[in-house]
Amino acid sequence: MFNRLLGNGVTSSIKPQQVTYIVPGIHNFDPADITDFAQKAQDNMDLSLLEFAWAELLEKNKSVTVEELAEIIFGSSEPLESYSAHMLLSKDEVYFTVLETKGPRSIYGPRPSKQVEELIRRKLAKEASEKEFQEFIELLVSAKSMPSQDKPPKYSWMDEEKIQSRIESLEAYAIDACKNDEQRKTAGMILKEIGLAKTASSAVNLLVDIGYYPVHVNLDLLKLGIPTVHSEENISVAQSLLSNSYDQDEINRKNLTDLKVYAIDVDEADELDDALSAKKLQDGRIKVWIHVADPTRYVEPGSIVDREAMRRGTSVFLPTATYPMFPEKLAMGGMSLRQGELCNAVTVSVVLHNNGSIAECSVVNSVIKPTYMLTYESASELLHLNLEEEGELRILSEAANLRLNWRRQQGAVDTATLDTRIKVSNAENQEPLINIYVENQADPAMRLVSEMMILCGEAMATFGSRNDIPLPYRGQPQSNINVSEFAHLPEGPVRSYALVKVMRAAQIDFRKPARHGILGIAGYVQFTSPIRRYLDLLAHYQVKAFLRGEPPPFSPGKLEGIAAVVNMKFRAARKLCSTSLRYWILEYLRRQPKEKIYRALVIRFIKDRIATLLLVEVGFQASTWVSVGTHIGDEILVKVEEAHPRDDIIFLKEVIKG
């Protein structure tokens, strides 16, 4: 079947038997001979023949018709030879150009020598480029077919500039970050030649298949441009600070090494930046010390290390890796609190009234000697054992309970839920080891630490306000939440989820404290993570200057400008942590036996019988259809039908009891 274009732009089809072949010079041409005729013409397709004809005609400065060219090349202008000459001219891009056309006949003239030289140069360059491109495609195809262990390492794709450029085009296409149309065009050509659709996911799959990307590549890490390494300069400066740094606060540091000091964190924590002490005073009141690591012992505002920390805004903790705000040896070495070693700190001490409110607070530079480095699990176990020799830990727990009850009386809203952590070992492997930890934020040790951090934040807001220090004062407008309206929901994750949905966003004032309605306190300053969060470090710069009797390095306006940039970085890091955690939970679920049954809490209904569920064993939210008669807060059983981490898809199915 043939297609023909009609004058009005409409295409119609005609049958082969409706086509009549006319070969000038041959009467009564048999259509059955057309294939043989075309093949003979094809056999004459030697483009080098044109070069000889071109040289002869250029020398004579003569133009020719197709028939005349056939005579020069083939010594004959018979139909076959004339058609062969016509085919040669139609494929020629170098030697001849059309000078004149009269009806079906054209006159051809030889191009000038310089023009031919330039066209030949371009043609050869194009052919070399096409050959190089095909060799690159063959490299990709070969790498795709190799077993995982034999695929070329990532660095090998960077050895040659042109190969590197094409790989970079594919990578940019994969994360929707093409710098220009050329990159987009190059990636599209590669995908088309390989036989793949021109999509970002095709580019990702290709890069995985050739071994350039690991199977579990973190695309969001690449898309967001989160820095994963420190420059050699920054590392060198950090090392120098560790070796030669002078402690300008040394003579003013209070020796608190007689205190028993507890540092409580997750078991894989590398940056330990807070610890706790407590004792009962003679009048029965509790005194608490919150010891915070003192990174300003090593860094100053505007220094190389400080500027890089500001650029990052926060340490990034992923299931597969940690990317610290400071160079590793500084963050996890000199700055961190270390068990059994003398450590510089900024200590916030607070005396509590018997009702849990703050009676007194002060801030000093200090030296401490951490006694215990506890995980939340081990701290909870010690609290449960109620050992006499760990009386200080019991006092801390008592203080935490006092504080929680007092804050609730001030209108605080309890939003404790499940907290999921994942640790992935050998993430470059196709099947890395996944360890999942689900912790209840209402756990005694987690409550203890949380309450002490909130206490420190309130004390710092009080201290800053009393001394007129510009700080990032965090507030949250009271959301007019009537907690009793949520009393029908089970206490814990279900009620917390409902409460969080109606809360208003937090705000920051850099001049004076603002009430934090959700925490139930008059003011709040994040101060306890200066190694991990840059805004906490800013608060340290301001407070440390005051303790030295110096003016604060930053005005409220300057703080606001820095915070605007840092908060953008922080939000990007938080998004990355969230998507990474979700990916690895889905990967964990994908690997579990299909028959495995999970407990799930009904959090809310989206539409009709479609409900948002919280899978208790993994602390993960997903949605599915649930049975008629199911209510918010009910616990049901579900199976995971499918889980696709790369596509962020999960299908659940309720398991009907009985």
Side-chain angles (χ1 to χ4, degrees):
M1 190 71 71
F2 295 90
N3 291 326
R4 64 171 177 170
L5 185 65
L6 304 179
N8 59 1
V10 177
T11 301
S12 67
S13 299
I14 58 176
K15 297 177 181 179
Q17 53 266 37
Q18 292 177 280
V19 177
T20 301
Y21 294 97
I22 300 173
V23 179
I26 301 178
H27 298 290
N28 301 319
F29 182 78
D30 186 352
D33 295 336
I34 192 65
T35 302
D36 183 57
F37 182 86
Q39 183 59 52
K40 288 179 179 178
Q42 186 63 41
D43 293 341
N44 288 333
M45 288 296 99
D46 182 357
L47 291 175
S48 65
L49 296 171
L50 284 177
E51 183 179 359
F52 299 112
W54 167 78
E56 180 179 330
L57 292 169
L58 183 66
E59 187 178 351
K60 295 178 180 178
N61 193 25
K62 183 180 177 182
S63 57
V64 291
T65 63
V66 170
E67 291 81 4
E68 289 170 339
L69 184 64
E71 281 285 353
I72 295 171
I73 294 176
F74 302 111
S76 169
S77 58
E78 289 297 310
L80 175 61
E81 286 72 18
S82 294
Y83 180 69
S84 298
H86 163 74
M87 291 296 292
L88 283 169
L89 286 168
S90 68
K91 294 183 180 298
D92 174 44
E93 298 175 349
V94 176
Y95 297 105
F96 289 90
T97 184
V98 177
L99 299 177
E100 184 182 355
T101 299
K102 292 182 179 179
R105 300 176 66 82
S106 296
I107 306 297
Y108 296 85
R111 296 181 191 271
S113 295
K114 286 189 177 180
Q115 188 178 10
V116 167
E117 288 173 6
E118 176 60 20
L119 289 171
I120 289 174
R121 186 191 66 77
R122 291 183 188 177
K123 183 182 178 184
L124 291 174
K126 182 182 177 183
E127 289 173 352
S129 177
E130 289 173 351
K131 181 183 177 185
E132 196 173 54
F133 181 75
Q134 286 304 317
E135 289 173 348
F136 174 73
I137 296 298
E138 289 169 11
L139 270 178
L140 295 180
V141 173
S142 173
K144 278 186 67 178
S145 65
M146 292 178 182
S148 298
Q149 67 274 14
D150 296 333
K151 291 184 187 294
K154 183 174 182 177
Y155 65 81
S156 68
W157 296 97
M158 303 290 111
D159 289 345
E160 294 183 27
E161 186 177 343
K162 289 188 176 179
I163 291 178
Q164 178 181 349
S165 175
R166 290 183 176 121
I167 289 291
E168 287 174 350
S169 294
L170 274 175
E171 189 169 17
Y173 199 87
I175 60 173
D176 298 320
C178 288
K179 297 175 183 175
N180 49 53
D181 289 340
E182 186 60 32
Q183 273 198 332
R184 198 171 290 106
K185 180 183 175 183
T186 299
M189 286 172 55
I190 294 168
L191 293 172
K192 182 180 178 182
E193 193 68 22
I194 293 286
L196 299 173
K198 293 182 183 179
T199 62
S201 60
S202 291
V204 173
N205 292 335
L206 176 57
L207 290 167
V208 169
D209 288 344
I210 66 172
Y212 183 80
Y213 277 168
V215 173
H216 300 288
V217 58
N218 192 327
L219 294 175
D220 287 315
L221 180 62
L222 301 175
K223 288 178 182 178
L224 293 170
I226 303 290
T228 57
V229 294
H230 283 270
S231 68
E232 289 296 325
E233 179 188 26
N234 207 32
I235 293 171
S236 176
V237 170
Q239 186 61 52
S240 175
L241 289 171
L242 285 169
S243 304
N244 308 312
S245 181
Y246 164 71
D247 180 15
Q248 59 181 316
D249 300 308
E250 184 175 5
I251 60 172
N252 295 318
R253 289 195 184 276
K254 188 172 184 178
N255 188 335
L256 298 177
T257 55
D258 59 317
L259 293 175
K260 184 180 283 189
V261 177
Y262 298 89
I264 305 172
D265 211 325
V266 295
D267 57 357
E268 68 269 18
D270 295 312
E271 304 170 2
L272 293 169
D273 45 16
D274 55 72
L276 306 167
S277 301
K279 74 173 184 178
K280 280 279 184 78
L281 301 178
Q282 288 184 346
D283 60 8
R285 293 184 301 174
I286 295 175
K287 183 173 185 178
V288 171
W289 290 265
I290 301 105
H291 312 287
V292 184
D294 185 6
T296 65
R297 158 79 167 77
Y298 298 99
V299 294
E300 296 179 352
S303 64
I304 291 174
V305 174
D306 169 74
R307 290 199 305 271
E308 178 60 20
M310 185 194 300
R311 186 175 79 89
R312 291 166 179 257
T314 179
S315 294
V316 179
F317 301 94
L318 302 181
T320 52
T322 295
Y323 304 114
M325 187 171 76
F326 290 108
E328 188 171 317
K329 286 187 177 180
L330 204 53
M332 301 172 190
M335 290 180 175
S336 280
L337 303 179
R338 301 171 303 282
Q339 183 176 8
E341 296 183 30
L342 295 177
C343 300
N344 293 328
V346 178
T347 295
V348 181
S349 62
V350 181
V351 176
L352 296 176
H353 285 300
N354 291 332
N355 67 354
S357 62
I358 295 177
E360 307 168 18
C361 66
S362 64
V363 182
V364 296
N365 293 306
S366 64
V367 178
I368 63 171
K369 191 174 184 180
T371 315
Y372 294 118
M373 296 296 186
L374 302 174
T375 64
Y376 287 112
E377 294 84 354
S378 57
S380 290
E381 186 176 345
L382 281 176
L383 287 170
H384 177 72
L385 292 172
N386 198 24
L387 300 175
E388 185 176 343
E389 59 267 30
E390 300 303 337
E392 294 87 347
L393 190 60
R394 292 203 311 274
I395 295 170
L396 280 169
S397 180
E398 183 182 341
N401 289 329
L402 279 175
R403 285 290 299 171
L404 178 59
N405 291 331
W406 178 81
R407 288 194 307 106
R408 283 174 172 168
Q409 292 168 11
Q410 310 310 307
V413 179
D414 190 3
T415 57
T417 185
L418 300 183
D419 187 30
T420 304
R421 290 184 297 110
I422 281 186
K423 189 72 174 176
V424 179
S425 304
N426 303 315
E428 299 290 312
N429 293 352
Q430 198 157 356
E431 293 282 322
L433 179 64
I434 303 174
N435 290 309
I436 189 164
Y437 310 89
V438 181
E439 293 156 338
N440 192 331
Q441 292 174 347
D443 170 86
M446 295 196 83
R447 281 281 196 199
L448 187 160
V449 173
S450 174
E451 285 301 325
M452 293 303 101
M453 298 304 103
I454 294 171
L455 175 60
C456 182
E458 184 185 359
M460 288 312 305
T462 301
F463 184 82
S465 176
R466 183 193 303 157
N467 296 292
D468 198 24
I469 306 172
L471 291 170
Y473 296 100
R474 291 181 176 271
Q476 190 165 32
Q478 193 73 37
S479 302
N480 298 320
I481 298 174
N482 185 352
V483 178
S484 64
E485 293 179 2
F486 299 85
H488 65 287
L489 298 174
E491 192 174 358
V494 175
R495 187 184 298 178
S496 294
Y497 182 88
L499 288 165
V500 168
K501 292 290 285 184
V502 298
M503 288 181 183
R504 292 162 64 185
Q507 300 171 351
I508 302 181
D509 191 303
F510 298 92
R511 291 169 175 80
K512 62 183 185 301
R515 177 170 173 76
H516 201 299
I518 300 303
L519 295 180
I521 54 180
Y524 181 65
V525 174
Q526 286 187 330
F527 193 76
T528 58
S529 296
I531 306 176
R532 310 181 189 192
R533 292 190 302 244
Y534 192 78
L535 282 190
D536 291 42
L537 181 65
L538 278 181
H540 275 245
Y541 285 147
Q542 301 289 88
V543 170
K544 291 281 289 191
F546 173 81
L547 294 177
R548 293 176 191 137
E550 301 170 358
F554 302 107
S555 67
K558 185 66 174 176
L559 282 176
E560 187 172 3
I562 295 172
V565 175
V566 169
N567 280 331
M568 286 178 58
K569 303 289 186 181
F570 186 81
R571 284 192 292 270
R574 187 168 58 185
K575 177 184 176 183
L576 172 63
C577 293
S578 175
T579 57
S580 300
L581 181 65
R582 185 174 176 86
Y583 176 94
W584 285 105
I585 292 176
L586 285 172
E587 175 63 15
Y588 174 84
L589 292 172
R590 184 189 69 82
R591 296 190 196 175
Q592 303 309 302
K594 291 289 185 185
E595 63 275 9
K596 185 171 181 177
I597 295 175
Y598 300 87
R599 294 162 48 222
L601 291 172
V602 178
I603 298 293
R604 71 182 181 108
F605 283 97
I606 302 170
K607 182 181 179 182
D608 298 329
R609 306 311 305 164
I610 301 176
T612 297
L613 308 178
L614 175 66
L615 275 63
V616 177
E617 288 91 343
V618 291
F620 181 77
Q621 290 187 20
S623 59
T624 192
W625 284 87
V626 297
S627 305
V628 174
T630 304
H631 300 95
I632 293 175
D634 287 353
E635 182 177 295
I636 65 173
L637 301 178
V638 296
K639 283 184 179 180
V640 176
E641 297 272 280
E642 292 182 46
H644 304 285
R646 181 66 64 209
D647 301 316
D648 192 24
I649 291 173
I650 184 170
F651 295 112
L652 302 178
K653 184 177 181 180
E654 183 180 5
V655 178
I656 307 300
K657 299 176 184 178

